[in-house]
Amino acid sequence: NQKCGGRKKTVSFSSMPSEKKISSANDCISFMQAGCELKKVRPNSRIYNRFFTLDTDLQALRWEPSKKDLEKAKLDISAIKEIRLGKNTETFRNNGLADQICEDCAFSILHGENYESLDLVANSADVANIWVSGLRYLVSRSKQPLDFMEGNQNTPRFMWLKTVFEAADVDGNGIMLEDTSVELIKQLNPTLKEAKIRLKFKEIQKSKEKLTTRVTEEEFCEAFCELCTRPEVYFLLVQISKNKEYLDANDLMLFLEAEQGVTHITEDMCLDIIRRYELSEEGRQKGFLAIDGFTQYLLSSECDIFDPEQKKVAQDMTQPLSHYYINASHNTYLIEDQFRGPADINGYIRALKMGCRSVELDVSDGSDNEPILCNRNNMTTHVSFRSVIEVINKFAFVASEYPLILCLGNHCSLPQQKVMAQQMKKVFGNKLYTEAPLPSESYLPSPEKLKRMIIVKGKKLPSDPDVLEGEVTDEDEEAEMSRRMSVDYNGEQKQIRLCRELSDLVSICKSVQYRDFELSMKSQNYWEMCSFSETEASRIANEYPEDFVNYNKKFLSRIYPSAMRIDSSNLNPQDFWNCGCQIVAMNFQTPGPMMDLHTGWFLQNGGCGYVLRPSIMRDEVSYFSANTKGILPGVSPLALHIKIISGQNFPKPKGACAKGDVIDPYVCIEIHGIPADCSEQRTKTVQQNSDNPIFDETFEFQVNLPELAMIRFVVLDDDYIGDEFIGQYTIPFECLQPGYRHVPLRSFVGDIMEHVTLFVHIAITNRSGGGKAQKRSLSVRMGKKVREYTMLRNIGLKTIDDIFKIAVHPLREAIDMRENMQNAIVSIKELCGLPPIASLKQCLLTLSSRLITSDNTPSVSLVMKDNFPYLEPLGAIPDVQKKMLTAYDLMIQESRFLIEMADTVQEKIVQCQKAGMEFHEELHNLGAKEGLKGRKLNKATESFAWNITVLKTCPCVFMVEGIIFLWVYTH
């Protein structure tokens, strides 16, 4: 709550304009006839408050007060061409006060042959949605007969509810007991509370001045519709169904393709969805999806926010082990804090079931020559080493088949060390990986090669087989930290004796002491790894961020929490992931925000416990600094648009005391990643609503390195006593699905809470067209800025600098082509009245609907010239359509130029990159000849890596818009 304090607390006293929920088009029209105040926005930036109403005959819209004649202060429904939601007209875009107007409260009515706009702002997003839905419905009705204007009684939904009622009305009297009605509604919607259903029946009966508690068919239908209709879902359904109250297969197909980013969808697939989710028999037979079935579909796993592709292993698992983040546990044997907590075998079961791939075994001497694991701050409880490894053997590959690392903390005498070695050989058998590393190799084996293998990390004796035992530095991390903090510390580590049998079980994870990066890069073997305390790693990350990243390209790093965390609190793993550290050990027994990040991060890649690091942190020659607060070389940032629409079934905070069941929820959105990406925003507070609070707020975040970013949704209570936490969900950026999604919230300890969700809309726009093109919109104008060109750096070596200078011009060409294409797409979106987050498919669908004459015939023809789709007018067309065709032609021209020139420009850039890389091995020698040394030589190396990174990245991303443009047309 304190972190979210940047935004002033605001309260929404009522998300709906009346107590009655909007559940049909008739409800919208009734509200419009009653009227409400709207703000009228003029092109001169002036804003007027006016009271708008719909005539009782549904023929005209009127407003007052107005200086105009009463007959002029109106707009005929028949003159309306289009209704746009959001700030998507010239009036809004050019208004000086536009930034102060909420996007979700604004809407525009375009009317007349010249598409003049009446621009309005409601006092809430709900009111705007009512006007937009109602007006669209009336406009559709004036153009074609609709099925459902006779009233609610003849809609498919009511026909279905009647059959449900009649089936339960065993006596056939058309009336049933309230208890039966309540139970029936609970069967249809298990999330509803019984008290709320009974209260609704009492309200209905009171409004009809009834004394009996028996429920009629009409009352049952009315109660169900008011209780089970989510207004935000109803508005969405009306919008995508072209103002009907149901979706047919074509509506659903367009929704899935244009909004949800689903590819290769067919009509048969849509009919199958309808058959599975539509509740009425009539709907299943006729192929339409009404509001209740659509709601069920949106709540299903098919509309989950998490990309189903990432629920299985989806990444390349053949890279070296050092190229992956590894799910790691600290003090795995503890289930409470490290100060007093007892050792417990269940700690291993829990961690391994959660996909953990690195566990810790802190082993000490036990009685009867039997090694034990125990908390040395609490020696009263312990578990035998043998029982622990038996459990590990049983659960090692239940959640993941990729290698498991055992971090061995050896505090045993030589005899019990031999017992440990014997027991591990016996229990693990051929799962133990003991192959000697090959000096001819440069990198560790891959997770794929090490499948179902158990790797022991620990100290190792020299390879001389005649040495049966020897001294090595102690693995006691806590004791070592205590010694280092002591005033008597002289830099020497404590030594312990190690036996050959235990030493031989260590192969590719040999523990060594970190000295400095220069020494490590020269003399450390790839099979050796260092462990860093949280404090030491933080210092290194701040002082040598680039060196830390480069070190971790080849070697494994393990980070463990500070010994000062006696409550077993967790460090922030993101700080060390940003530096490329692979094994960041977490206290699994301690829930909270840091553990949420860790759990959320390792949900990706099938939850296998291994996540491939970004290529910029793996490539031998690349530039990346963990502390960067600006843009990355050659990378165009993404814009993440998140609309928090509503919440469902929020529970009272578990730790709240002396408070009723009513809560005042709000939502925080946290972005975690590199420093340049970290951000946080919050919604308004919705007062006293836990069942279906409506937020309707949109936020935009810039993300520079999506491969390292995570989004954490947190729901909190603004009027709390003792505890504010309601629920959270953390998801890697790369796992987000676009479109309308439900977010399943987790409890404080990380369990999924049944039926507790956030309803959101996700859009990812890309200034450069990269990323998951089929799932993401193509462009966005992130403010009107001067065009930025990624600059190549001067190295100080003329031979190499001359090569990179050749790349400057093609790089500018590439960026110009990308930006020109992007701007052409944004222009046509604006003319179509679409926001930047709209997909190209949505844009083309809207464009085609505008190029229709009053008698419903096309005003243009599609002509293919040189395989490019041009539009040619069929006779004289209005100015509005001329503007659209001009913008369309420009988009075609920029697409054509980009596609035709892309290969040539890319080839020039690739050639420069290859020529530059030829000097990579000789860079230090060339620098020495030119007199570069020390910091100047390091700077030259860094600049070289920067230039190579720019050249690698740029040609891969600038062509995509034009290619996808053609893809949309051919499909």
Side-chain angles (χ1 to χ4, degrees), residues 761-945:
H761 181 268
I762 303 291
I764 300 167
T765 55
N766 190 341
R767 292 173 62 193
S768 62
K772 300 176 185 174
Q774 76 277 14
K775 289 191 174 183
R776 298 180 179 176
S777 305
L778 301 181
S779 61
V780 64
R781 186 149 62 195
M782 308 218 10
K784 294 180 179 178
K785 300 178 181 177
V786 175
R787 185 164 296 179
E788 295 178 357
Y789 295 96
T790 304
M791 302 298 293
L792 294 176
R793 293 181 175 178
N794 187 56
I795 294 171
L797 299 172
K798 187 176 184 304
T799 308
I800 303 176
D801 284 332
D802 287 346
I803 290 173
F804 285 131
K805 282 177 184 176
I806 299 171
V808 171
H809 181 67
L811 275 175
R812 291 179 71 93
E813 281 186 287
I815 292 168
D816 284 340
M817 286 191 288
R818 182 188 70 198
E819 295 290 324
N820 291 342
M821 176 68 198
Q822 213 166 260
N823 291 338
I825 292 176
V826 169
S827 295
I828 199 163
K829 283 182 184 178
E830 289 180 350
L831 283 173
C832 288
L834 295 172
I837 64 171
S839 69
L840 193 52
K841 182 143 194 166
Q842 289 170 317
C843 186
L844 295 176
L845 287 169
T846 304
L847 179 66
S848 64
S849 68
R850 303 281 170 77
L851 300 174
I852 301 292
T853 62
S854 55
D855 59 355
N856 212 29
T857 59
S859 59
V860 299
S861 64
L862 179 65
V863 179
M864 297 300 292
K865 296 179 181 178
D866 302 325
N867 293 321
F868 285 85
Y870 287 87
L871 294 176
E872 294 186 352
L874 298 172
I877 58 173
D879 289 342
V880 172
Q881 292 187 353
K882 285 180 183 176
K883 282 184 181 179
M884 287 187 170
L885 286 186
T886 301
Y888 177 83
D889 283 343
L890 178 62
M891 183 169 67
I892 293 292
Q893 291 168 21
E894 295 296 347
S895 301
R896 182 169 185 167
F897 184 71
L898 185 150
I899 292 169
E900 290 176 347
M901 294 298 297
D903 288 344
T904 303
V905 175
Q906 179 173 347
E907 183 60 27
K908 290 178 183 177
I909 295 171
V910 169
Q911 289 303 321
C912 289
Q913 179 202 329
K914 288 180 177 178
M917 282 300 293
E918 290 178 3
F919 290 93
H920 169 54
E921 298 293 337
E922 294 298 316
L923 188 60
H924 277 76
N925 291 336
L926 288 172
K929 287 180 182 179
E930 294 291 329
L932 299 181
K933 56 185 178 180
R935 292 186 64 180
K936 287 186 177 180
L937 184 57
N938 289 338
K939 189 68 177 176
T941 305
E942 180 185 298
S943 297
F944 181 85

Side-chain angles (χ1 to χ4, degrees), residues 133-197:
S133 299
L135 287 169
R136 283 176 175 169
Y137 197 82
L138 290 172
V139 170
S140 297
R141 190 189 72 144
S142 68
K143 293 179 180 177
Q144 57 185 350
L146 289 177
D147 302 330
F148 307 135
M149 285 304 293
E150 300 86 3
N152 290 343
Q153 302 305 313
N154 295 321
T155 65
R157 186 188 201 187
F158 270 82
M159 299 302 291
W160 163 67
L161 285 172
K162 285 178 182 179
T163 61
V164 171
F165 185 90
E166 288 165 3
D169 180 18
V170 290
D171 297 329
N173 297 325
I175 196 167
M176 66 173 65
L177 292 172
E178 183 181 296
D179 289 347
T180 309
S181 299
V182 170
E183 189 58 35
L184 189 54
I185 289 180
K186 276 189 68 66
Q187 288 175 15
L188 296 173
N189 189 340
T191 65
L192 285 175
K193 297 172 185 173
E194 182 178 326
K196 188 173 182 180
I197 302 172

